[in-house]
Amino acid sequence: MAFSGMPFDSLLNHDAVVLTLLSLASFIAMLGVLRNARVSRGVLLALQLPCALLLLGALLLRDAPLSGSMIVLTTGASRDDLAEWDSRNNETSADLTRPPVIALGGVTSDFEDVESAPDLATALRRYPGITHVHVFGHGLQAHDRAVLGSRELSFAPPATANAPAALLEWDFPRQVNVGASWRLRGRVRGDVGLIELRDLADGLEASATPGADGRFELLGTARAVGTVLYSLRLRARASVDAGDDAYLLQTLPVPIYAAATKPVRALLLAAVPSPELKYLRRWASDAGVELDSRINLAPGLVQARNPTAIDAAMLAKLDLLMVDERSWPQIARQSAALREAVGNGLGVLIRITGPVPAAIQAEWRALGLAFELTANAPRAVSLDDGVAPVAGERLHAWPFKTSGNHHVVMLQGAKAQPLAIRMPLGIGRIGVLALTDSFRLATRGEHARHATLWSTVFAELARARAEPAIKVTETAVIGQRTVICGEGESLQVQLPDATRKPLLRDPAAAHCAAFWPAEAGWHRVIVDSPTQTSALAANADRAAPAEQSDEAAADADKPGTAFYVFDSTAIESVLTRQTEVATARLVHRELPPKGVQNDGEFWRRLLCLLWLMLMGTLWWLERRARQRLQQRL
Amino acid sequence: MRIASTLQAIQRRVQWRALLIESARWLPWLLVAVYAGSRAAGARVAIALGVFGLGLLVWRLRHAWKQIDQRWLIRALDHHDRALHDSSDLLFADTATLSTLQALQQTRVRERLLQSGTVDLRAPLPWQLLLTGFMAASLWGLFSWLWQPLTPSMITPSQSSTVVEVQPVVEQALTARLSITPPAYTALPTRESDQLAVQVVEGSELVWSLRFAVQPSAVRVRLLDGETLVLQAIDGQWQGRRRFSSSTVYRIEIEGAPALPTGAPYTIEVLPDRAPQLAISEPQNTLTVLDAAARRWQLTLVATDDYGLAETHLHLTHAQGDGEQVTVNERRIRLRGEGDPLRQQFTQSLDLIGLGFAQGDDLIARIEVRDNRPPTPNLTRSASYILRWPAERGAEGTGVEGLVQKTLPAYFRSQRQIIIDTEALIAEQPRLSAEAVLERSDAIGVDQRLLRLRYGQFLGEEAEEIDSPEGHDHDDHAGEPEPAVGDAAGLIAEFGHGHDIAEAATLLDPATRELLRAALGEMWQAELQLRIGDPEAALPFENSALEFIKRFQQAGRIYLARVGLELPALDATRRLSGERPGRSRTADPLADDAEASPAERTWLALQADASLPLTELLEWVSAQPADDDPQLALLADIDALQQTSDCADCRRRLANSLWPLLTPPAAAPPLRPRANAVGRAYLDVIAPAEAMP
C-alpha cells in the first residue's frame, strides 16, 4: 500500500462525517416533529428527508480538488526511470512520497507489483484530481492523449544511443496519380548504409544513402492504377547481389494507391504559329492532354484538325480554352456562351502575345477581368519557381496590372512581378499568362521546368472535374481508430476478404466516420455519392473494357480510394517515434487558464436553491403549526 | 507298445494341424509386409523385415507345437470320448506303479482307445478367420503395390489438390524420362532427365517417355497455349517428341485411368542462343583523324559466341571527294580469325595506299559477325569506325546557292530588299521633306534591326543582348550555383547545347560564326545610319553586310545521307473529288491512341476482382521478346489461374509478375476536385455581379 491514494482516503472521511452529521440532524428533526408537531405532522415528517438529501447533494457535489500528480508507465519504460525519478525528487524534498504509479496496457513484463490500467482514462477515473501526469517510456497512444484534458504533462523520450538501426520517420503520399512520380522522404537512426525501394516484382525502384543526419529521399513512379505495395529495405551496407538478404536491417511495407486520372480536354486558339505553341503542344501530347489546336497561318487559312464551330455545347465539353489576344475576337462572338461555360466550370487561359486593343480590354472587363499592359514591349524576366537561375536564362513577359478583389498570382518572376494571374468566375476560372517564351526553357534542355510550368497552369485553370478527395488517417494500424472523411451518401469499407462494412457517420464531424481495422492489408473505401450517376454518364464515352460489366468493375468506377492497414509490428520503429513526437508535443501545448467554472457549480447552486425553498416551506409549516398550537392552548 | 505309437500319432497330427493353421494365419501378412517394405524402403529393409517376421513365425509355430503336449492330449482325449471315463492320464502312466484298480482301468481305457480306431483331435481349419486375414493382407499388398514412394526416379507432383473426393484406393503414379537433344550446331550431347521441368537450349528436341502405374488409354502433353501433343504407347511407355524454341509450361493429361494429382505445371525454360559479342580493341575511338598520310590502318578485335562463330566480315565505305562531288565505294572483306570457334581474334591491317585513301577522304569500317545458328544466324554489327583525313581548308565550292537557300528560306531574303528600299529612298530624297526622309529611313532601320536580330539567333542569343535594356556579361558566372552531379539539364546549360532540339542546335563552326558576326557588325552600322536619317551613309554598310551574308551562306554546309522520297501511292479515284473522310485523322497523330495492352487490362481486372482476359494475355506474353526473365514465372502464374480461377494468392502473384511489364502512362496535370456545396456558395458570393450569367 505504499502508493495508495492519500487524497482519496481523506476525501472519504470528509464525506462520511458530513453524511453522519446530516443523518443525525435529520433524525433529531424528525424526532422533534413527532414530539412537538400536532398539525400537518405527516407533511413535516415527509419533508425532512428530501431536505436532508438536497443539502447532502449540494455539499457533496463539488469539484474534485485539483492537485496531485501521477506517474504513467508506457511501453519502453524501465525500473531505472522510476529509480531515477525517486532519486531526483528525494534530493529536493525528503518527505515527499511517490505519487501513484500506473502501468498502462501493454506494459506488464517488468512491473508486476505496479498497479495497471488498460488506458489513461481508467487511471484518471481511479485517481480523480490529478493535475500532472509524468509519462515514462515511449509516450501516450492517441486514445490516451485525447483524455489528457487540461492536465500538465512531463515527458522525455527514452535515450536512443544504443538502439538498433531503424527507420524513424517517413513521409510519402498514400495516394498518387498514376504516371506521376512520388517522393518518399525519411530519416533513419543508426548505421544504415543503403536504403532501397523495391516494387511488386522485387525490382529496384530507387535507392539512396542516408545523409549524416539520417535523412534520405527516394523517387518512385506508379505504373498502373490500383494498390501497389512497395517495400522499403534498410541495409547495413550495399551488398553485391542486390536481391540478397545480406545486411538486411529492416523491411517495411510502403503502400501506394495509384488513382486514375482523367485527361484534360483543351482547345488552343492561336493567331500565329510560334515555337511557344510547338513546345506547348508537344508537352500536352506527352502529358496526355487531349489538346485540339486551331492555329491561323494566314487570313482564312487555319491549321485545324476538327473545324467544328465553337458553341455552348462544345465549350461544355472542354476543360480549358487557351486563346491569345489576337484570336479573342473569334470567341468574342460567342461571349454569352463563353460566360455561361466559364460560370459552369470552364477554364480560360488568355495568352498575351502582343499589345491588347482597348476594345478587347473592354470585353475582358465585362468578364470581370480589369487588365492593362503597363509597357509596350515584353520585358526580360526570370521565373521564380524554386530553381536556381542559370546564367543567360532570359524569358520575356509583358508587364501588366490588374485590378480586382480575387485575383491570384499563378506564376511570378524573380522580382515578384506577376507573370500569370487567375480569377474565379462562377465555378470556372479565367487566367492570364503574360509569359511569351516559356519554350526557351525546353530549348535550353530544361524540359522538366517547362512541363512543371504548364502543368501548374493547367491544374489551376482547368475545369474542376476530379472527385472530391477521401481523406483517411495517414497511418492506419490494426486496432487503432482510423478516421475516414468523404462526401457522399454513405461510406463503406471493403475489407481484404472482400466483405463490406458500412460506416456510421460521426454527427459531430461532417462527412467523417471512424473505423477500427481488425486485419492488415488493403482496405477499399467506397462512397455512394448522389452525383455519381451523372459522373458515370459523363464517363460513358471513355474507353471502358468490355469485360468489365460485372458488379466489381462497376464499383471500380465509383469514387473511392484504398488505404493500407499496417500491422503495428511491421512499422514499430516509425509508430514509436510518432508516439514520442506526439506526446512531446503535448508537453508544451497551451493549457486553458485554471479556475474555470464547470458544470458542477450550476447544479450545486440549483440544489442549494431547492434546499432553501424546501427549508422555507418547512419553516412556514412549523411556524403555522406552532401558531395553531398556541391558539389551541 | 501299440498304444504308445497310436497316442503319438494322434498328438503329431494335432500338432501338424496347429502348425498349418498358424502358418496360414501369419504367412500372408509376413509376405505382404516384406513386399511393402521393399516398395517403401528398399530391399534391405525388406530382408530385415523378412528375417524378423520369419523369426516371429518360427517362435509362434514352436509355441503352437509345444502347446500340444501330454497334458493337452489327456484333456483332449477325455473331452473327446466319454467312454474313457476321464482316465486318459492312465494311458501314459507306467503300469508298474499303478494300483490294481488303476491298472484295470488303464487296460479298459487302452482297449477302448484301440477299439475306437483313429481318434481325430485336430482343430478344424478356421476358414473364416483365415479368409478374412488373407483378404486384409491382400488389400495391404495391393495398396503397397500401387503406392509410389517419393524417390527421385518417380515423380508425382508435390502439391495435392485441395478438393476432397472419394478417391478410389487405386492411385495414379508416373515415372518419367525426358531425353533432350540440343540442336546439332551447338555440339552439345543428348542428355537424359528424370525431371519433367527442364532447362533446354533453344531449338532442342524433347522426347518424353512416361510410364504410369495404371495404364491409361491416351496421354497428351498440353502446352499452356492450348497446343497438345498426343503421346504414343510403345511397350507400355508413352512417348512423344517436340522441338521448343520458346519457354513454356505444360501439363500431362491422361484418359482412361485415374488422373495424376494436380499441382504446379512443368516448365520448359528455353535458353536462347545469344548473339556474338564483339570487343574492338583497336581503334579505340570511333573517329580517328589523321594529320598526315599513313600507310596502314590497324583493326584488332575479338569475337565470342556461346556455340560457335560463323563468318566475320569487314564492311569498308570509302567516301572520296568534296562538296557535291562525293563518290562512295563500298567493299566487303571476309576476315580470317585465330582461335577456336567460340572465341576468335581478328587482326586486319588495311593498306590505305592500296585503297586509294587520300586527303579529304573518309574511310568507314564496320564489322559484322554471325554465329552458326541455322537457319538464320544471329548477327552482331559493330559501330562505325571512321578514319578521316580532313581536307585542306579554303577550298569551298560555289554554285550551290540554290540548295542552301532552300534550307534557310526565312532568313536570307531581305538584306537585298533593304538595299533596294534604301536606294529608292535616296532617289526620292530630294522630293521629300526632312521629316519624311527621317521617318522612312527609320522604318528601314527597324527592318534592318529585325533582320539583324534574326541573324543573331544563329549565333545563339549573343547578338540579342544589344536589344535588352539591362545588358549583362556572359563571362560573369560568379555567384551561379554549381550544377549538381547527374543533373543533365544543368550540365547542358553549363557546357553545351541541347542538340536534340532543332531550334537549339549549333550548326555553325567558329569560322562561319565569325563571318556572321562581321555581317551583324555591318548591319549595326547600317541601322545606325538609317535611324539618324542618313540612308546614303547606310548604303555601303548594307552592301557590305550583303557581301558577308553571301559568304556566310556558302560557308556553312551540312551533308546528309540522300534518302529517296517515298510518297504513298496516289489514289486516282479520290483525286480532286474533295472528299476527305477516311483519309484524314481527326485525332492528333502525336497522341497515343493505342489501346491498353492485355497486361494493363489484366492488371485492372486483378485490381477490380473481375474476370481476367487470360487468353489474350497469354498471346501477348508469347509475342514478347523471349529473353525476358520474368516470362516463365508469368506463364506459370497464368497456368495456375487457368486451373483455379478464384485463387487469391495466384492473383496476387500474377499481379506481381505483371508489374514490370506495365508501361507508366504520361504524368497528366492533376485536376482540381469538384467544389462542394460550401465552395460553390463561396464562389457564388465572390463572383462579380455583372459578369454572372
Side-chain angles (χ1 to χ4, degrees), chain B residues 543-585:
Chain B
N543 283 323
S544 165
L546 183 63
E547 189 68 24
F548 279 121
I549 289 169
K550 298 297 289 177
R551 282 170 60 191
F552 165 68
Q553 286 175 356
Q554 291 158 12
R557 201 176 300 160
I558 301 154
Y559 298 103
L560 300 173
R562 264 169 285 190
V563 179
L565 183 63
E566 289 172 17
L567 291 174
L570 199 66
D571 184 0
T573 57
R574 305 170 69 96
R575 192 163 156 75
L576 296 178
S577 67
E579 287 170 13
R580 286 175 69 203
R583 282 281 155 174
S584 64
R585 285 177 55 183

Short mmCIF file of all heavy atoms in Angstrom, two decimals, chain B residues 543-585:
data_model
loop_
_atom_site.label_atom_id
_atom_site.label_comp_id
_atom_site.label_asym_id
_atom_site.label_seq_id
_atom_site.Cartn_x
_atom_site.Cartn_y
_atom_site.Cartn_z
N ASN B 543 25.50 47.10 -98.22
CA ASN B 543 26.12 46.29 -99.26
C ASN B 543 27.17 45.35 -98.68
O ASN B 543 27.25 44.18 -99.07
CB ASN B 543 26.76 47.19 -100.31
CG ASN B 543 25.69 47.78 -101.23
OD1 ASN B 543 24.73 47.11 -101.56
ND2 ASN B 543 25.86 49.04 -101.59
N SER B 544 27.94 45.91 -97.76
CA SER B 544 28.98 45.11 -97.15
C SER B 544 28.36 43.93 -96.37
O SER B 544 28.84 42.80 -96.41
CB SER B 544 29.80 46.00 -96.24
OG SER B 544 30.57 45.26 -95.38
N ALA B 545 27.24 44.22 -95.67
CA ALA B 545 26.55 43.16 -94.93
C ALA B 545 26.07 42.08 -95.88
O ALA B 545 26.19 40.87 -95.59
CB ALA B 545 25.37 43.76 -94.15
N LEU B 546 25.55 42.52 -97.02
CA LEU B 546 25.07 41.56 -98.01
C LEU B 546 26.21 40.66 -98.48
O LEU B 546 26.05 39.44 -98.61
CB LEU B 546 24.44 42.30 -99.19
CG LEU B 546 23.84 41.42 -100.28
CD1 LEU B 546 22.68 40.60 -99.72
CD2 LEU B 546 23.38 42.25 -101.46
N GLU B 547 27.36 41.31 -98.67
CA GLU B 547 28.54 40.55 -99.10
C GLU B 547 28.88 39.45 -98.09
O GLU B 547 29.09 38.29 -98.43
CB GLU B 547 29.70 41.53 -99.24
CG GLU B 547 30.94 40.94 -99.88
CD GLU B 547 30.71 40.60 -101.35
OE1 GLU B 547 29.80 41.21 -101.98
OE2 GLU B 547 31.43 39.72 -101.85
N PHE B 548 28.90 39.86 -96.81
CA PHE B 548 29.21 38.89 -95.77
C PHE B 548 28.18 37.78 -95.74
O PHE B 548 28.50 36.60 -95.52
CB PHE B 548 29.29 39.57 -94.39
CG PHE B 548 30.59 40.25 -94.14
CD1 PHE B 548 30.67 41.60 -93.88
CD2 PHE B 548 31.76 39.49 -94.15
CE1 PHE B 548 31.88 42.22 -93.64
CE2 PHE B 548 32.99 40.11 -93.90
CZ PHE B 548 33.04 41.48 -93.66
N ILE B 549 26.93 38.16 -95.92
CA ILE B 549 25.87 37.15 -95.85
C ILE B 549 26.03 36.14 -96.97
O ILE B 549 25.85 34.94 -96.79
CB ILE B 549 24.49 37.83 -95.90
CG1 ILE B 549 24.25 38.57 -94.59
CG2 ILE B 549 23.39 36.82 -96.11
CD1 ILE B 549 23.06 39.48 -94.62
N LYS B 550 26.40 36.66 -98.16
CA LYS B 550 26.61 35.73 -99.28
C LYS B 550 27.71 34.73 -98.92
O LYS B 550 27.56 33.52 -99.14
CB LYS B 550 27.01 36.50 -100.54
CG LYS B 550 25.99 37.47 -101.05
CD LYS B 550 24.72 36.79 -101.46
CE LYS B 550 24.93 35.98 -102.75
NZ LYS B 550 23.67 35.27 -103.09
N ARG B 551 28.78 35.25 -98.34
CA ARG B 551 29.87 34.33 -97.97
C ARG B 551 29.44 33.36 -96.88
O ARG B 551 29.81 32.19 -96.87
CB ARG B 551 31.09 35.14 -97.52
CG ARG B 551 31.85 35.72 -98.69
CD ARG B 551 32.90 36.69 -98.26
NE ARG B 551 33.88 36.07 -97.37
CZ ARG B 551 34.79 36.76 -96.67
NH1 ARG B 551 34.80 38.08 -96.76
NH2 ARG B 551 35.64 36.14 -95.90
N PHE B 552 28.65 33.89 -95.98
CA PHE B 552 28.16 33.05 -94.88
C PHE B 552 27.30 31.90 -95.43
O PHE B 552 27.39 30.76 -94.99
CB PHE B 552 27.36 33.92 -93.92
CG PHE B 552 26.51 33.17 -92.95
CD1 PHE B 552 27.11 32.39 -91.95
CD2 PHE B 552 25.13 33.21 -93.01
CE1 PHE B 552 26.35 31.70 -91.05
CE2 PHE B 552 24.36 32.52 -92.11
CZ PHE B 552 24.97 31.77 -91.13
N GLN B 553 26.48 32.25 -96.41
CA GLN B 553 25.61 31.22 -96.98
C GLN B 553 26.41 30.11 -97.62
O GLN B 553 26.02 28.95 -97.58
CB GLN B 553 24.69 31.86 -98.03
CG GLN B 553 23.59 32.69 -97.43
CD GLN B 553 22.78 33.41 -98.48
OE1 GLN B 553 23.10 33.33 -99.67
NE2 GLN B 553 21.76 34.11 -98.05
N GLN B 554 27.54 30.52 -98.21
CA GLN B 554 28.32 29.49 -98.89
C GLN B 554 29.22 28.70 -97.93
O GLN B 554 29.74 27.66 -98.28
CB GLN B 554 29.19 30.14 -99.97
CG GLN B 554 28.36 30.69 -101.11
CD GLN B 554 29.07 31.76 -101.88
OE1 GLN B 554 30.26 31.96 -101.72
NE2 GLN B 554 28.31 32.46 -102.73
N ALA B 555 29.39 29.25 -96.74
CA ALA B 555 30.35 28.62 -95.84
C ALA B 555 29.77 27.41 -95.12
O ALA B 555 30.33 26.32 -95.12
CB ALA B 555 30.85 29.63 -94.82
N GLY B 556 28.66 27.65 -94.49
CA GLY B 556 28.10 26.57 -93.67
C GLY B 556 27.38 25.57 -94.55
O GLY B 556 26.54 25.90 -95.36
N ARG B 557 27.74 24.34 -94.42
CA ARG B 557 27.13 23.35 -95.29
C ARG B 557 27.11 22.03 -94.54
O ARG B 557 28.08 21.63 -93.90
CB ARG B 557 27.95 23.21 -96.56
CG ARG B 557 27.17 22.63 -97.68
CD ARG B 557 28.01 22.61 -98.91
NE ARG B 557 28.45 23.94 -99.31
CZ ARG B 557 29.49 24.15 -100.10
NH1 ARG B 557 30.19 23.14 -100.52
NH2 ARG B 557 29.82 25.36 -100.44
N ILE B 558 26.02 21.35 -94.61
CA ILE B 558 25.89 20.07 -93.91
C ILE B 558 25.52 19.02 -94.93
O ILE B 558 24.67 19.25 -95.78
CB ILE B 558 24.78 20.17 -92.84
CG1 ILE B 558 25.12 21.26 -91.85
CG2 ILE B 558 24.59 18.85 -92.15
CD1 ILE B 558 23.92 21.84 -91.21
N TYR B 559 26.18 17.90 -94.85
CA TYR B 559 25.87 16.81 -95.78
C TYR B 559 25.07 15.75 -95.06
O TYR B 559 25.44 15.30 -93.97
CB TYR B 559 27.14 16.22 -96.36
CG TYR B 559 27.90 17.23 -97.13
CD1 TYR B 559 29.03 17.84 -96.63
CD2 TYR B 559 27.42 17.63 -98.38
CE1 TYR B 559 29.70 18.80 -97.32
CE2 TYR B 559 28.09 18.60 -99.09
CZ TYR B 559 29.24 19.19 -98.57
OH TYR B 559 29.87 20.14 -99.27
N LEU B 560 24.01 15.38 -95.64
CA LEU B 560 23.17 14.35 -95.05
C LEU B 560 23.03 13.22 -96.06
O LEU B 560 23.19 13.43 -97.27
CB LEU B 560 21.77 14.90 -94.73
CG LEU B 560 21.75 16.06 -93.75
CD1 LEU B 560 20.35 16.63 -93.65
CD2 LEU B 560 22.23 15.61 -92.38
N ALA B 561 22.78 12.05 -95.53
CA ALA B 561 22.58 10.91 -96.43
C ALA B 561 21.38 11.17 -97.32
O ALA B 561 20.38 11.71 -96.87
CB ALA B 561 22.37 9.66 -95.61
N ARG B 562 21.55 10.81 -98.58
CA ARG B 562 20.44 11.03 -99.50
C ARG B 562 19.43 9.90 -99.34
O ARG B 562 19.78 8.73 -99.45
CB ARG B 562 20.94 11.10 -100.93
CG ARG B 562 21.15 12.53 -101.36
CD ARG B 562 21.87 12.58 -102.64
NE ARG B 562 23.28 12.26 -102.44
CZ ARG B 562 24.19 12.42 -103.38
NH1 ARG B 562 23.85 12.86 -104.57
NH2 ARG B 562 25.44 12.13 -103.15
N VAL B 563 18.24 10.26 -99.03
CA VAL B 563 17.18 9.27 -98.84
C VAL B 563 16.13 9.52 -99.90
O VAL B 563 15.76 10.66 -100.15
CB VAL B 563 16.55 9.41 -97.44
CG1 VAL B 563 15.45 8.39 -97.25
CG2 VAL B 563 17.59 9.24 -96.38
N GLY B 564 15.71 8.46 -100.53
CA GLY B 564 14.70 8.59 -101.56
C GLY B 564 13.39 9.08 -100.99
O GLY B 564 13.05 8.77 -99.85
N LEU B 565 12.68 9.84 -101.76
CA LEU B 565 11.39 10.36 -101.31
C LEU B 565 10.33 9.32 -101.63
O LEU B 565 10.10 8.99 -102.79
CB LEU B 565 11.10 11.67 -102.04
CG LEU B 565 9.83 12.37 -101.62
CD1 LEU B 565 9.91 12.80 -100.17
CD2 LEU B 565 9.60 13.58 -102.52
N GLU B 566 9.74 8.76 -100.59
CA GLU B 566 8.77 7.70 -100.81
C GLU B 566 7.41 8.18 -100.38
O GLU B 566 7.04 8.14 -99.22
CB GLU B 566 9.17 6.45 -100.03
CG GLU B 566 10.39 5.78 -100.61
CD GLU B 566 10.90 4.66 -99.75
OE1 GLU B 566 10.14 4.21 -98.88
OE2 GLU B 566 12.05 4.26 -99.95
N LEU B 567 6.67 8.64 -101.35
CA LEU B 567 5.33 9.10 -101.05
C LEU B 567 4.36 7.95 -101.22
O LEU B 567 4.60 7.04 -102.01
CB LEU B 567 4.94 10.22 -102.01
CG LEU B 567 5.71 11.52 -101.82
CD1 LEU B 567 5.35 12.49 -102.92
CD2 LEU B 567 5.40 12.11 -100.47
N PRO B 568 3.26 7.95 -100.49
CA PRO B 568 2.26 6.89 -100.70
C PRO B 568 1.66 7.01 -102.10
O PRO B 568 1.61 8.09 -102.69
CB PRO B 568 1.22 7.16 -99.62
CG PRO B 568 1.45 8.57 -99.20
CD PRO B 568 2.90 8.86 -99.42
N ALA B 569 1.24 5.87 -102.60
CA ALA B 569 0.70 5.85 -103.97
C ALA B 569 -0.54 6.73 -104.06
O ALA B 569 -1.33 6.81 -103.11
CB ALA B 569 0.34 4.42 -104.36
N LEU B 570 -0.65 7.37 -105.18
CA LEU B 570 -1.76 8.30 -105.38
C LEU B 570 -3.03 7.51 -105.65
O LEU B 570 -3.04 6.57 -106.45
CB LEU B 570 -1.43 9.19 -106.58
CG LEU B 570 -2.20 10.47 -106.69
CD1 LEU B 570 -1.83 11.39 -105.54
CD2 LEU B 570 -1.90 11.14 -108.02
N ASP B 571 -4.10 7.89 -104.96
CA ASP B 571 -5.38 7.24 -105.19
C ASP B 571 -6.15 8.08 -106.20
O ASP B 571 -6.74 9.11 -105.86
CB ASP B 571 -6.14 7.14 -103.86
CG ASP B 571 -7.43 6.39 -104.03
OD1 ASP B 571 -7.72 5.96 -105.17
OD2 ASP B 571 -8.15 6.23 -103.03
N ALA B 572 -6.11 7.64 -107.44
CA ALA B 572 -6.66 8.45 -108.52
C ALA B 572 -8.17 8.63 -108.41
O ALA B 572 -8.73 9.63 -108.85
CB ALA B 572 -6.30 7.81 -109.87
N THR B 573 -8.81 7.65 -107.77
CA THR B 573 -10.28 7.74 -107.72
C THR B 573 -10.75 8.87 -106.83
O THR B 573 -11.82 9.42 -107.02
CB THR B 573 -10.86 6.43 -107.19
OG1 THR B 573 -10.29 6.18 -105.91
CG2 THR B 573 -10.56 5.28 -108.13
N ARG B 574 -9.91 9.23 -105.86
CA ARG B 574 -10.35 10.27 -104.94
C ARG B 574 -9.81 11.63 -105.37
O ARG B 574 -10.20 12.64 -104.80
CB ARG B 574 -9.83 9.97 -103.54
CG ARG B 574 -10.21 8.62 -103.03
CD ARG B 574 -9.45 8.34 -101.77
NE ARG B 574 -9.90 9.20 -100.69
CZ ARG B 574 -10.79 8.82 -99.79
NH1 ARG B 574 -11.31 7.64 -99.85
NH2 ARG B 574 -11.14 9.64 -98.84
N ARG B 575 -8.93 11.64 -106.32
CA ARG B 575 -8.23 12.85 -106.67
C ARG B 575 -9.20 13.93 -107.10
O ARG B 575 -10.10 13.70 -107.92
CB ARG B 575 -7.24 12.54 -107.79
CG ARG B 575 -6.26 13.64 -108.04
CD ARG B 575 -5.09 13.08 -108.84
NE ARG B 575 -4.41 14.15 -109.57
CZ ARG B 575 -3.61 15.02 -108.98
NH1 ARG B 575 -3.40 14.96 -107.69
NH2 ARG B 575 -3.02 15.96 -109.70
N LEU B 576 -9.06 15.10 -106.52
CA LEU B 576 -9.85 16.28 -106.83
C LEU B 576 -11.33 16.10 -106.53
O LEU B 576 -12.16 16.90 -106.95
CB LEU B 576 -9.67 16.69 -108.30
CG LEU B 576 -8.25 17.12 -108.67
CD1 LEU B 576 -8.18 17.44 -110.15
CD2 LEU B 576 -7.83 18.32 -107.85
N SER B 577 -11.68 15.04 -105.84
CA SER B 577 -13.09 14.86 -105.53
C SER B 577 -13.49 15.69 -104.32
O SER B 577 -14.67 15.90 -104.07
CB SER B 577 -13.39 13.38 -105.23
OG SER B 577 -12.74 13.00 -104.04
N GLY B 578 -12.50 16.14 -103.53
CA GLY B 578 -12.81 16.97 -102.37
C GLY B 578 -13.26 16.16 -101.18
O GLY B 578 -13.70 16.72 -100.19
N GLU B 579 -13.19 14.84 -101.29
CA GLU B 579 -13.65 14.02 -100.15
C GLU B 579 -12.47 13.68 -99.26
O GLU B 579 -11.48 13.14 -99.72
CB GLU B 579 -14.29 12.74 -100.68
CG GLU B 579 -15.65 12.97 -101.29
CD GLU B 579 -16.14 11.73 -102.00
OE1 GLU B 579 -15.56 10.66 -101.80
OE2 GLU B 579 -17.09 11.87 -102.79
N ARG B 580 -12.64 13.97 -97.98
CA ARG B 580 -11.56 13.67 -97.05
C ARG B 580 -11.85 12.51 -96.11
O ARG B 580 -10.92 11.97 -95.53
CB ARG B 580 -11.21 14.91 -96.23
CG ARG B 580 -10.46 15.94 -97.05
CD ARG B 580 -10.25 17.18 -96.24
NE ARG B 580 -9.31 16.98 -95.16
CZ ARG B 580 -9.27 17.73 -94.08
NH1 ARG B 580 -10.13 18.68 -93.91
NH2 ARG B 580 -8.38 17.50 -93.14
N PRO B 581 -13.12 12.15 -95.92
CA PRO B 581 -13.37 11.14 -94.88
C PRO B 581 -12.55 9.87 -95.10
O PRO B 581 -12.38 9.40 -96.22
CB PRO B 581 -14.85 10.84 -95.02
CG PRO B 581 -15.42 12.05 -95.63
CD PRO B 581 -14.35 12.64 -96.50
N GLY B 582 -12.08 9.33 -93.99
CA GLY B 582 -11.31 8.11 -94.08
C GLY B 582 -9.84 8.36 -94.33
O GLY B 582 -9.01 7.50 -94.11
N ARG B 583 -9.53 9.54 -94.84
CA ARG B 583 -8.14 9.85 -95.15
C ARG B 583 -7.51 10.71 -94.07
O ARG B 583 -6.33 10.61 -93.80
CB ARG B 583 -8.05 10.59 -96.50
CG ARG B 583 -8.19 9.68 -97.67
CD ARG B 583 -6.89 8.97 -97.92
NE ARG B 583 -7.13 7.71 -98.61
CZ ARG B 583 -6.17 6.92 -99.08
NH1 ARG B 583 -4.91 7.28 -98.92
NH2 ARG B 583 -6.46 5.79 -99.64
N SER B 584 -8.33 11.56 -93.52
CA SER B 584 -7.74 12.47 -92.53
C SER B 584 -8.09 11.96 -91.14
O SER B 584 -9.22 11.55 -90.87
CB SER B 584 -8.30 13.88 -92.72
OG SER B 584 -9.68 13.86 -92.48
N ARG B 585 -7.10 11.98 -90.28
CA ARG B 585 -7.33 11.54 -88.91
C ARG B 585 -7.78 12.73 -88.10
O ARG B 585 -7.16 13.80 -88.15
CB ARG B 585 -6.05 10.96 -88.32
CG ARG B 585 -5.71 9.60 -88.84
CD ARG B 585 -4.42 9.15 -88.26
NE ARG B 585 -4.45 9.20 -86.79
CZ ARG B 585 -3.39 8.90 -86.05
NH1 ARG B 585 -2.26 8.59 -86.63
NH2 ARG B 585 -3.48 8.94 -84.75
#
